[in-house]
Amino acid sequence: AQSVTQPDIHITVSEGASLELRCNYSYGATPYLFWYVQSPGQGLQLLLKYFSGDTLVQGIKGFEAEFKRSQSSFNLRKPSVHWSDAAEYFCAVGTSQGTYKYIFGTGTRLKVLA
Amino acid sequence: GAGVSQSPSNKVTEKGKDVELRCDPISGHTALYWYRQSLGQGLEFLIYFQGNSAPDKSGLPSDRFSAERTGGSVSTLTIQRTQQEDSAVYLCASSLGDRGHGYTFGSGTRLTVV
């Protein structure tokens, strides 16, 4: 069965600083990988996704993520954080066969300092 | 509809009462998912429906939980004899049913059992 680990529960960065949120997955074949963002009191919004092709994927709001098979990672990055990026971020993994459900990590809460 | 609609947005119920949570997916989306998000926790998979296939109920925590999807569209999640540990945000999502498309989430129903 697939699994996802987000090692950082909380991250605090200053506005304008760069950001990297970590995600590690466990799955025997090529996974489908996703990053979602959840603002307070809201549902989850898809930031970006990967399942084949270029390992560096671009998403909305200036985010990007890089798939590294050798490290079983799919880290989310942003070169310059804005105060509006403060939210909770979830990594998710789906499989290439069998169940269609995604498994989500426990999330990383991002705080942005002015 | 334009997005995934969930109702009610908030529900307070007394312990032991039954509750019904409703999800109206995006028109044309064949797959529908229910997840539960408890305070400080990630997203816990509950159940998903894919077209006319039998639903995957593997995430339902007890036989007090059930769900149905009528006419391949609207879904209702029912919790019988609610307990305090059922307090959580219940999120519904829908998708086109292919593995890599990603889900579109509703804003959730916050259930509080008192």
Side-chain angles (χ1 to χ4, degrees), chain A residues 28-97:
Chain A
T30 299
Y32 291 77
L33 294 162
F34 307 85
W35 275 100
Y36 285 83
V37 61
Q38 185 179 35
S39 298
Q42 302 296 312
L44 280 74
Q45 181 184 21
L46 180 65
L47 283 176
L48 47 77
K49 59 187 177 183
Y50 169 83
F51 51 91
S52 66
D54 193 345
T55 56
L56 183 64
V57 294
Q58 303 297 320
I60 62 171
K61 305 185 180 189
F63 285 92
E64 65 179 28
E66 186 171 13
F67 171 60
K68 293 186 177 180
R69 184 187 301 275
S70 61
Q71 298 177 19
S72 297
S73 69
F74 188 58
N75 294 349
L76 182 71
R77 301 194 295 246
K78 187 169 186 178
S80 177
V81 171
H82 188 262
W83 64 266
S84 60
D85 293 324
E88 189 150 24
Y89 292 80
F90 292 92
C91 182
V93 62
T95 61
S96 54
Q97 52 188 316

Side-chain angles (χ1 to χ4, degrees), chain B residues 9-74:
Chain B
S9 54
N10 281 283
K11 176 72 176 178
V12 180
T13 190
E14 293 181 351
K15 178 181 174 181
K17 300 283 190 183
D18 297 352
V19 295
E20 286 189 349
L21 312 180
R22 177 189 167 101
C23 174
D24 198 346
I26 291 174
S27 178
H29 279 194
T30 59
L32 186 148
Y33 308 80
W34 285 98
Y35 284 78
R36 179 169 70 175
Q37 185 177 25
S38 303
L39 189 62
Q41 302 295 313
L43 275 71
E44 175 189 7
F45 167 77
L46 297 177
I47 186 171
Y48 91 86
F49 300 87
Q50 171 64 46
N52 295 321
S53 302
D56 178 348
K57 304 179 182 180
S58 60
L60 294 178
S62 76
D63 58 8
R64 296 186 295 106
F65 288 73
S66 63
E68 63 176 17
R69 189 178 186 191
T70 54
S73 181
V74 172

Side-chain angles (χ1 to χ4, degrees), chain A residues 36 38 98-102, chain B residues 35 37 58 97 99 101 103:
Chain A
Y36 285 83
Q38 185 179 35
T99 181
Y100 278 64
K101 69 190 181 199
Y102 300 160
Chain B
Y35 284 78
Q37 185 177 25
S58 60
R99 299 177 183 279
H101 192 79
Y103 301 166

